């Protein structure tokens, strides 16, 4: 099975390094020196990682045969794809690969069906499940433990306890940062000289 593990960003420096947007929870395994990755578009690869390092919080990679800024810039926006055994599981039992979560049924704790996971979006702050409802509409569920309380791969379901308004907008609680104190009489302006 093929999984997208990173997207190549801009060139860094003049020796062929590139920044990468990491799309895996295991960059030390998937993006290690010596790893051979397929690419999208396919014509850009396969690419073999020669070196990797972190600079100012960003992962920088250099690929075999990419020696200058021009060659590195030509790889911009290329997706890096790793071949992964579908039976392979992350070391941490609380972590999951995207392919394990796709098509899981999403239900409330009482068993009420919400829909099925059709996409997983990785944002800097959290991951989101895109869930297709039975009526064809979609809802986004943040993949955080306060909301997604259980992932049961054997039963092929994700159990959620959503806050009011996440699933049904009519239950939304509107919060305001302003205090509603009513109309208070304003002090009259003082006039200068009469």
């Amino acid at each position: 099975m093929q999984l997208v593990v990173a997207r190549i960003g801009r060139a860094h420096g003049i020796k062929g390094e590139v920044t990468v947007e990491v799309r895996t929870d295991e960059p030390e395994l998937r993006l290690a020196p010596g790893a051979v990755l397929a690419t999208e578009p396919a014509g850009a690869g396969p690419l073999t990682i020669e070196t990797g390092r972190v600079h100012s919080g960003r992962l920088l990679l250099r690929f075999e045969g990419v020696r200058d800024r021009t060659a590195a810039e030509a790889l911009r926006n290329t997706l890096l794809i790793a071949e992964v055994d579908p039976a392979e599981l992350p070391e941490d039992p609380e972590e999951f690969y995207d392919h394990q979560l796709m098509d899981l049924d999403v239900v409330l704790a009482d068993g009420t069906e919400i829909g099925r996971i059709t996409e997983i979006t990785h944002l800097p702050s959290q991951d989101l499940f895109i869930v297709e409802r039975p009526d064809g509409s979609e809802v986004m569920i943040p993949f955080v433990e306060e909301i997604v309380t259980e992932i049961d791969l054997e039963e092929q379901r994700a159990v959620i306890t959503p806050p009011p308004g996440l699933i049904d907008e009519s239950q939304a609680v509107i919060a305001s940062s302003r205090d509603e104190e009513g109309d208070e009489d304003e002090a009259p302006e003082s006039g200068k000289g009469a």
Side-chain angles (χ1 to χ4, degrees):
M1 164 186 286
Q2 294 189 325
L3 296 177
V4 174
V5 293
R7 183 182 65 79
I8 297 176
R10 68 182 193 281
H12 179 82
I14 60 171
K15 295 184 179 179
E17 284 186 311
V18 294
T19 62
V20 293
E21 173 190 315
V22 176
R23 295 189 180 176
T24 176
D25 289 336
E26 300 174 314
E28 66 285 347
L29 174 66
R30 307 284 178 218
L31 301 171
V36 179
L37 302 168
T39 60
E40 179 61 43
L47 295 172
T48 302
I49 298 174
E50 187 174 282
T51 64
R53 66 186 179 103
V54 176
H55 175 72
S56 298
R58 299 217 26 117
L59 179 60
L60 302 178
L61 296 179
R62 183 183 353 253
F63 301 100
E64 289 181 7
V66 178
R67 295 283 172 242
D68 60 30
R69 185 175 186 87
T70 303
E73 193 60 43
L75 295 172
R76 190 174 196 156
N77 293 322
T78 299
L79 297 177
L80 299 175
I81 302 167
E83 190 65 38
V84 177
D85 179 351
E88 183 181 333
L89 299 175
E91 289 182 20
D92 184 341
E94 296 298 312
E95 291 183 3
F96 303 93
Y97 293 133
D98 286 3
H99 71 272
Q100 295 175 290
L101 302 171
M102 291 297 292
D103 293 322
L104 290 185
D105 292 324
V106 178
V107 298
L108 297 178
D110 66 6
T112 303
E113 181 185 355
I114 301 301
R116 130 187 114 71
I117 299 172
T118 57
E119 186 180 337
I120 299 165
T121 301
H122 301 281
L123 302 175
S125 59
Q126 67 192 13
D127 296 334
L128 289 176
F129 291 158
I130 309 300
V131 177
E132 184 176 313
R133 313 272 322 255
D135 65 6
S137 65
E138 290 184 336
V139 63
M140 292 184 277
I141 309 286
F143 187 22
V144 294
E145 64 183 302
E146 294 81 16
I147 297 173
V148 180
T149 58
E150 179 186 357
I151 298 290
D152 187 338
L153 296 178
E154 285 185 21
E155 294 292 322
Q156 287 291 289
R157 68 183 188 146
V159 179
I160 64 169
T161 55
L166 184 65
I167 303 298
D168 184 356
E169 291 180 12
S170 67
Q171 297 175 351
V173 176
I174 312 263
S176 174
S177 60
R178 294 187 216 169
D179 293 330
E180 296 180 20
E181 297 176 4
D183 294 330
E184 292 182 11
D185 292 329
E186 292 184 18
E189 290 185 29
S190 60
K192 288 192 176 187

